Amino acid sequence: MSGSLVVDNIGELVTNGAGEGPLGIRRDAAVLVEEGRVVWVGPSAYAPAADRRLDAGGAAVLPGFVDSHAHLVFAGDRAAEFAARMAGEPYTGGGIRTTVGATRAASDDELRANVRRLRGEALRQGTTTMEIKSGYGLTVADEARSLRIAAETSTETTFLGAHVVPAEYADRPDDYVGLVCGPMLAAAAPHAKWIDVFCERGAFDVDHARAILACGQAVGLGVRLHANQLGPGPGVQLGVELGAASVDHCTHLSDADIDALAGAHTTTVATLLPGAEFSTRSPYPDARRLLDAGVTVALATDCNPGSSYTSSMPFCVALAVREMRMTPAEALWAATAGGARALRRDDIGVLTPGARADLVVLDAPSYLHLAYRPGVPLIRKVLLNGVPQ
Ligand SMILES: [Zn+2]
């Protein structure tokens, strides 16, 4: 949309830049948007004239949420598995193969419709950037089409051919790793920005993970990985060693893992996915230990049909505050600027001049209400690239 837009009468503006406290808060503020970018932030009383005006009515305005970890390309659901788990069965990750079967059987249009449905659902809850992974195809053709479809909706696409070893390779995992590093990567890479591996007992061990991630790096993909979700392991330290943008889950960490993430030269973000612990009734990651050690923390949904079927960043913020003892400010920063760091982006997750005009007007006077009023639809308006949705 051409022309300028001013959002004024903002009671509480979270900039994640200059301003009060860690969130860079400004009171009685306004934001001027031109060509999809923030070009001015200042007091509402001094807001420049613009072609159009959006009156925030004294409400809080935040950067749009950056959900840096989501698995949206799949078919079917696993509601029955969820019900069984809530009745006492443990989560092992084995149900991924159920979704692989349904995904392979689905048409392109069915997969596309599901991605769009979930992306729309997230957008209505304030998510303006959403990473999308493949990982339920696990054949050359199915991984390539998963990423092709993901790339229609997001520029943050991730090749996760190493999600699990599919059933047909169960007794020859080395051959599957060869497939992932060879023809599958070649078919996936044109549609992907990132490569990811589920480095966990029962999925891929550290040697396989290192080999796969190195192949991805060699063709220009950035590295991220699923690490230390179901138990302690080498994933987090492998991620730091490889300069991964993010290590995700971080539920079971040793002191050495924390030290690696807190290292002076470490640029790897720890992305916490409390929707997974909520939905699998598992212990939450120790966010306080990470934050107190100075680690950069992001929050994301892990939206997937098995272990965390939520697309709601406000829900994850509420969980982070209530269950992981993050302060509301830490949780909101992690869900916006933290997610941007996990995607190595500096144009999103902030509302400062030059940033993308991705912002959320709340139906509340303060961001505190995101955790204070859990489960309540508080997203009044979303601007994506400066365009009201
Ligand atoms: Zn995941």
Side-chain angles (χ1 to χ4, degrees):
M1 198 179 291
S2 62
S4 55
L5 167 68
V6 67
V7 184
D8 64 3
N9 202 10
I10 300 169
E12 178 186 272
L13 174 67
V14 173
T15 67
N16 287 334
E20 172 194 319
L23 296 177
I25 287 177
R26 289 164 171 256
R27 313 274 170 197
D28 303 316
V31 174
L32 181 68
V33 174
E34 285 178 4
E35 307 293 338
R37 297 269 160 183
V38 173
V39 295
W40 180 90
V41 175
S44 196
Y46 300 105
D51 299 329
R52 287 168 299 131
R53 174 175 180 238
L54 176 61
D55 182 351
V61 169
L62 334 165
F65 296 113
V66 179
D67 186 354
S68 61
H69 185 136
H71 306 251
L72 302 191
V73 193
F74 65 86
D77 74 33
R78 281 151 55 195
E81 179 191 312
F82 175 77
R85 200 161 60 232
M86 292 303 105
E89 287 184 21
Y91 176 67
T92 61
I96 292 170
R97 291 194 183 91
T98 307
T99 300
V100 169
T103 303
R104 288 176 177 176
S107 70
D108 288 9
D109 282 344
E110 285 168 326
L111 295 179
R112 184 174 288 121
N114 204 39
V115 170
R116 288 183 180 168
R117 176 180 68 84
L118 292 166
R119 182 66 192 91
E121 196 179 274
L123 183 63
R124 290 192 296 279
Q125 296 170 91
T127 298
T128 48
T129 301
M130 200 167 190
E131 184 255 19
I132 304 179
K133 302 177 194 297
S134 68
Y136 294 115
L138 311 186
T139 67
V140 172
D142 285 310
E143 285 297 298
R145 78 166 173 151
S146 294
L147 285 160
R148 214 169 46 237
I149 289 167
E152 294 170 5
T153 298
S154 179
T155 57
E156 302 293 346
T157 53
T158 301
F159 171 44
L160 181 58
H163 198 183
V164 288
V165 175
E168 62 272 23
Y169 282 90
D171 54 357
R172 46 194 182 109
D174 289 346
D175 290 354
Y176 185 66
V177 172
L179 179 74
V180 170
C181 288
M184 196 184 282
L185 175 62
H191 314 291
K193 178 172 174 184
W194 304 98
I195 186 164
D196 191 346
V197 172
F198 189 22
C199 183
E200 198 77 41
R201 191 170 302 177
F204 294 86
D205 66 23
V206 68
D207 294 330
H208 283 157
R210 182 184 278 106
I212 292 164
L213 295 170
C215 291
Q217 279 181 315
V219 299
L221 301 185
V223 168
R224 43 203 325 106
L225 72 161
H226 286 68
N228 302 50
Q229 176 188 4
L230 304 177
V236 164
Q237 293 189 52
L238 174 65
V240 172
E241 173 197 322
L242 295 177
S246 180
V247 286
D248 296 25
H249 284 292
C250 296
T251 311
H252 297 270
L253 298 183
S254 67
D255 289 346
D257 295 332
I258 301 269
D259 289 347
L261 286 166
H265 302 291
T266 299
T267 54
T268 303
V269 173
T271 299
L272 308 182
L273 308 165
E277 281 77 32
F278 177 87
S279 302
T280 58
R281 201 175 273 153
S282 303
Y284 289 91
D286 192 342
R288 279 265 55 92
R289 195 168 157 220
L290 287 162
L291 289 162
D292 293 345
V295 175
T296 303
V297 171
L299 280 172
T301 62
D302 196 15
C303 183
N304 78 83
S307 58
S308 182
Y309 202 7
T310 181
S311 56
S312 173
M313 289 294 280
F315 174 65
C316 294
V317 166
L319 282 184
V321 172
R322 170 61 182 84
E323 302 294 329
M324 301 198 296
R325 299 176 186 276
M326 291 171 75
T327 67
E330 287 168 339
L332 180 60
W333 190 92
T336 52
R341 295 271 182 94
L343 294 171
R344 298 252 159 104
R345 296 273 298 269
D346 57 15
D347 61 329
I348 55 175
V350 293
L351 290 176
T352 52
R356 264 175 60 132
D358 291 348
L359 63 85
V360 169
V361 183
L362 292 187
D363 245 332
S366 169
Y367 76 89
L368 292 169
H369 286 227
L370 291 168
Y372 172 48
R373 307 198 63 215
V376 176
L378 293 178
I379 309 300
R380 182 193 299 168
K381 192 88 192 163
V382 180
L383 258 63
L384 180 63
N385 227 355
V387 180
Q389 301 297 298

